[in-house]
Amino acid sequence: MERKLLEQLSQLTPIEHRQQQTHQFIEDLDAAAIDQQAQLRTLTDYFFNSQDIYISRHNRYADYPEHTHTFLEINYVLKGTAHEVVDQQSVTLHTGDLILLDSGSTHSIQALGDHDLLINILFRTKNISLELLNDLRHSDNILYDFLVSHITGDQSHPQNYLVFNQHPNHQVQTTLNRIIEEYYQHHEFANSIIKAYLSALIVQLIREYPLNRVSQANKPQQLAMQLLTDITTNYRTINLTQLAHKYNYNRNYLSNLFKTEVGKTFSTVVTQQRLIQAHLLLASTSLPISQIMRRVGLTNKTFFYQKYQAYYHTTPQKDR
C-alpha cells in the first residue's frame, strides 16, 4: 500500500480523539444506518445509497458493541491485531488476516490500539457475480458453499463467518490493498474497478485457501442457482414459461421453488437484474434513458423510475 495513504489511515479521527480520552464507544453512524426497531443493533443498507461497496476504517480506543447487519462484511487487518467475538466465538486476527461475515451473524470488536488498523468492506449479494459463481461451481471449497447459501437464502448453512489467515504469496492482501486505494483516492471509475477487484478477491480466496467443503448443494438449491444464472444471461427476455419448458418442470412448481430457495419472487429478481444493467449503462454510456430501458427489457417508464428509486435510493438522472 502507498505510504501516503497508510499514513492518512493512521491519523486519528475526531471520534478517536474522544474515545482515546474516555475509552467509551461514541456513535459514528447516521441514525438512518441503524434499524431503530430491531432489538439488537442492526446496520442497514443505508451505506449503499450512493455506492455499491462501502469501505471504512474502524475507529480505535473503544469496544464496538455487539451488532448484526443486512449485508456481507469483510474485516481486514491492515496492520496490528484485532480481537472479535463472532456468534459467541472469540476470533483473533493479525496483520493480513481477514474475516468474512454473513448477514445475520452477530459480532463485537474489542478496542483497537495505537498501531492497529482494521478496514471494514461492506457489500451485498448483488455485488457477487452469479456468472462468476457458476464458473466456480466445481470448486471443492467452503467459501463457494458460503456464498451460494447466502444468495439462495439457505438458512441451514452451518457457518455465518469464515476466517482467512495471511497467505504466503500475498496476492489476496495485494488485491485488498488495491480495493482500499481505489476507494480512498477517488479516481474516476473507482466504483467499477472496486467491483472488479471484489470478483478477483473471491476467486483468489477460493484458489489460495483450499478449505474443505462441508456440504453439497441440494437439488432444489442447484436448480435455483441455475435459474439465477439464466436470469443474469437472458434478463432482457427471460420468463418462467421458457424456463419451465427448458428444465421440464411445471411452471407453478418452478415459481414456488424459486421463491422458497431465493426468498424473492422470480419477477422481482428479473426486475432487479434489469435495474442493475440499467445502472451500469447510465454510468458508462450517454444513451438516452428511454433507450436504456428498452435495452434491458423494460417498457413502462413509470414502473422503471419507481423501481429504480426503490432499489438505488436515487433517480436515474442523478446517477447519470
Side-chain angles (χ1 to χ4, degrees), residues 27-49:
E27 183 60 72
D28 62 339
L29 298 178
D30 188 290
I34 304 171
D35 184 350
Q36 305 298 329
Q37 305 301 317
Q39 292 184 342
L40 178 65
R41 179 182 173 86
T42 301
L43 308 187
T44 70
D45 285 1
Y46 165 86
F47 298 96
F48 310 106
N49 284 350

Side-chain angles (χ1 to χ4, degrees), residues 214-260:
V214 295
S215 64
Q216 295 289 335
N218 56 39
K219 287 186 177 180
Q221 189 181 67
Q222 290 174 347
L223 179 56
M225 276 301 299
Q226 186 57 56
L227 295 176
L228 286 166
T229 301
D230 288 334
I231 290 173
T232 64
T233 305
N234 304 308
Y235 60 86
R236 188 175 185 275
T237 59
I238 199 167
N239 61 64
L240 264 178
T241 301
Q242 293 173 348
L243 293 176
H245 179 74
K246 176 180 178 179
Y247 294 107
N248 197 27
Y249 281 100
N250 175 275
R251 184 184 183 281
N252 290 336
Y253 170 81
L254 208 60
S255 175
N256 292 332
L257 179 144
F258 188 91
K259 177 66 165 62
T260 299

Side-chain angles (χ1 to χ4, degrees), residues 45-167:
D45 285 1
Y46 165 86
F47 298 96
F48 310 106
N49 284 350
S50 60
Q51 56 202 325
D52 292 303
I53 298 169
Y54 179 87
I55 299 176
S56 66
R57 200 265 286 160
H58 189 79
N59 285 321
R60 295 166 286 189
Y61 307 117
D63 293 343
Y64 197 90
E66 185 179 44
H67 63 285
T68 186
H69 36 73
T70 60
F71 43 79
L72 292 161
E73 178 179 359
I74 290 174
N75 293 160
Y76 169 53
V77 181
L78 184 59
K79 181 182 176 184
T81 303
H83 301 282
E84 303 194 20
V85 176
V86 185
D87 290 342
Q88 301 182 335
Q89 300 294 317
S90 295
V91 177
T92 298
L93 305 171
H94 302 284
T95 301
D97 295 345
L98 67 97
I99 184 171
L100 172 62
L101 302 156
D102 200 355
S103 59
S105 62
T106 62
H107 68 122
S108 58
I109 304 173
Q110 294 180 19
L112 302 179
D114 290 326
H115 305 294
D116 302 326
L117 291 179
L118 180 66
I119 305 298
N120 305 315
I121 302 174
L122 318 182
F123 60 102
R124 293 172 292 179
T125 297
K126 65 185 179 185
N127 298 126
I128 302 173
S129 168
L130 296 173
E131 291 174 307
L132 169 64
L133 287 179
N134 193 46
D135 289 342
L136 298 172
R137 67 187 182 278
H138 299 303
S139 172
D140 188 26
N141 189 283
I142 194 174
L143 174 56
Y144 174 81
D145 283 341
F146 180 96
L147 295 172
V148 169
S149 295
H150 178 91
I151 289 174
T152 59
D154 181 6
Q155 301 298 319
S156 66
H157 195 267
Q159 286 185 270
N160 284 329
Y161 69 94
L162 296 174
V163 176
F164 302 89
N165 300 117
Q166 184 178 24
H167 195 276

